[in-house]
Amino acid sequence: MTELRVVDVTEDQLDSVWQVRIRSFGPANDREGWTKHARTFIEDGRFIGVLDGDDLVAAARMWPFEQWWSGRRVPMGGVAGVVVAPDYRGRGVGSLLMRAVLQRCVDKGYPLTGLYPATTVLYRHLGYEFGGNRYKFSFQAADLRTLGGKGTAVRKAGRGDAELFLELAGKAHESRRSSGPLIWPVSHVEAWLEDENNFAYVADDGFVVYSWSDGNLAVDELIAGSEETARALWATVGSGSSIATTVHAYCSPFDPIHLLAEHEAAADTRINRWMLRLVDAPAAIEARGFPAGVVLETDLRIDDPELPANTGDWHLSVADGSGRLTPAEPSSDALRLGPRGLAALYAGTPVAALRGAGLITGGADSGLDAAFSGPTPYMLDYF
Ligand SMILES: CC(C)(COP(=O)(O)OP(=O)(O)OC[C@H]1O[C@@H](n2cnc3c(N)ncnc32)[C@H](O)[C@@H]1OP(=O)(O)O)[C@@H](O)C(=O)NCCC(=O)NCCS
């Protein structure tokens, strides 16, 4: 092993990335599609690799997402495809790569970064902590079929409705003060709606996208701005109950469907946890929403060894649904936390749980739970 270098992946290195990928994630098809897709990350400086001499031995890429936090959109670098060649593992290469990813998130101006961890250890060392879950619930198709909503006009949708879908989802997440769902680049929404295996329908204030999944049906996303639309769209999916017995659905644990369906979701709900990290603490606080009625003034001491710009004494003010983190004088009363505690707090983890795990020490809780509370963070998509 010569001295390792962090580089931007280039087109002629994609073959090596593919080789490391199949050694990491297993056999894969559609190399052509993956390569086309990979180019979009290269073009925009969002694909990072590690070279040993001329050999590419590790790579990772970043999605340019926005993520809803308490009803507001916060730019978020979604880290994916983190791979290290088997013969280079266990020697700090993954850590070297992820440090470069964090720095690139700084350079790109993402206040947040998130990922689905295959192992938490690597990411926790770098300041990521669990932020929320992706839930896959299963409902009885026959239950959904009879939900009604027959007075609601529903039409077939396609690629040309991408902007409309983003707008409808945005309205719903803003009014529900959602935390967690991603906003994808519009080109990806177009590709999703264009795929003939995805069935998309739209009403005045909502839409659904679903597909077949091993003889059953699976809802990728269902947004409804009213009870009638929720009934109409779920019933559209449930109309497949003569063939499909089950409808799997990616949705939040407080989606109205849980209150509408006669039978509760099956006991075997699948949960994938995702992790979050604040890249720029003041920007992340300023961008997210806070509960309208909460007023908070408190001191925090943040120690962030990976991103020293976050380290320091801060004053957190919350009022009128917004928050601000401003530099402050050191205070012995300040609550102390590192990046993991900060990420989990941002995602609404109760302070008592963070104290119990040693991720917050000192200070008083002084209304922090109320400030960061809200509907449970969730994501619909894996990336
Ligand atoms: C996961 C992976 C990227 C780690 O790369 P690496 O170069 O071995 O990581 P590092 O040597 O920098 O290890 C960093 C820390 O993570 C730990 N770690 C690495 N792989 C681990 C694993 N599979 N399980 C538990 N801990 C692990 C290391 O022990 C080290 O912690 P320590 O310093 O406390 O001992 C690499 O094993 C890999 O490519 N795996 C297959 C693909 C994959 O799972 N990618 C992650 C997708 S989210």
Side-chain angles (χ1 to χ4, degrees), residues 36-247:
K36 198 171 146 211
H37 183 57
R39 281 192 198 114
T40 64
F41 288 84
I42 290 177
E43 278 160 17
D44 200 15
R46 289 182 283 102
F47 211 147
I48 292 179
V50 176
L51 293 186
D52 180 9
D54 290 335
D55 295 336
L56 186 132
V57 299
R61 55 188 207 276
M62 279 154 279
W63 283 95
F65 291 130
E66 289 180 289
Q67 188 175 28
W68 291 98
W69 280 101
S70 202
R72 292 206 201 155
R73 306 154 74 115
V74 186
M76 184 271 246
V79 181
V82 178
V83 288
V84 174
D87 45 338
Y88 282 80
R89 291 180 192 156
R91 307 178 198 184
V93 178
S95 306
L96 175 73
L97 174 70
M98 280 304 300
R99 286 202 171 91
V101 165
L102 279 184
Q103 186 53 47
R104 186 56 56 90
C105 288
V106 173
D107 299 343
K108 289 273 177 199
Y110 303 135
L112 296 176
T113 166
L115 51 81
Y116 282 92
T119 158
T120 54
V121 182
L122 167 66
Y123 305 114
R124 280 193 167 141
H125 281 346
L126 295 167
Y128 286 82
E129 195 39 78
F130 287 129
N133 299 329
R134 179 191 194 216
Y135 302 88
K136 186 182 181 185
F137 296 102
S138 301
F139 296 97
Q140 297 178 20
D143 266 10
L144 305 183
R145 188 181 76 86
T146 53
L147 281 177
K150 289 191 193 316
T152 301
V154 171
R155 71 162 169 86
K156 197 167 128 203
R159 182 186 168 94
D161 293 302
E163 294 280 5
L164 174 64
F165 276 34
L166 285 169
E167 191 190 311
L168 291 171
K171 273 190 193 150
H173 292 313
E174 216 176 300
S175 68
R176 290 176 191 173
R177 282 190 51 230
S178 300
S179 287
L182 300 174
I183 302 167
W184 288 73
V186 69
S187 56
H188 287 270
V189 180
E190 285 169 352
W192 180 50
L193 296 178
E194 188 169 46
D195 186 334
E196 66 174 359
N197 292 313
N198 293 333
F199 317 126
Y201 293 92
V202 63
D204 278 352
D205 59 350
F207 65 83
V208 62
V209 183
Y210 69 103
S211 57
W212 287 103
S213 169
D214 294 331
N216 285 309
L217 293 166
V219 172
D220 281 357
E221 185 166 4
L222 189 150
I223 290 284
S226 59
E227 179 196 340
E228 274 305 293
T229 298
R231 289 184 180 280
L233 294 175
W234 284 109
T236 302
V237 183
S239 71
S241 69
S242 55
I243 305 292
T245 51
T246 302
V247 172

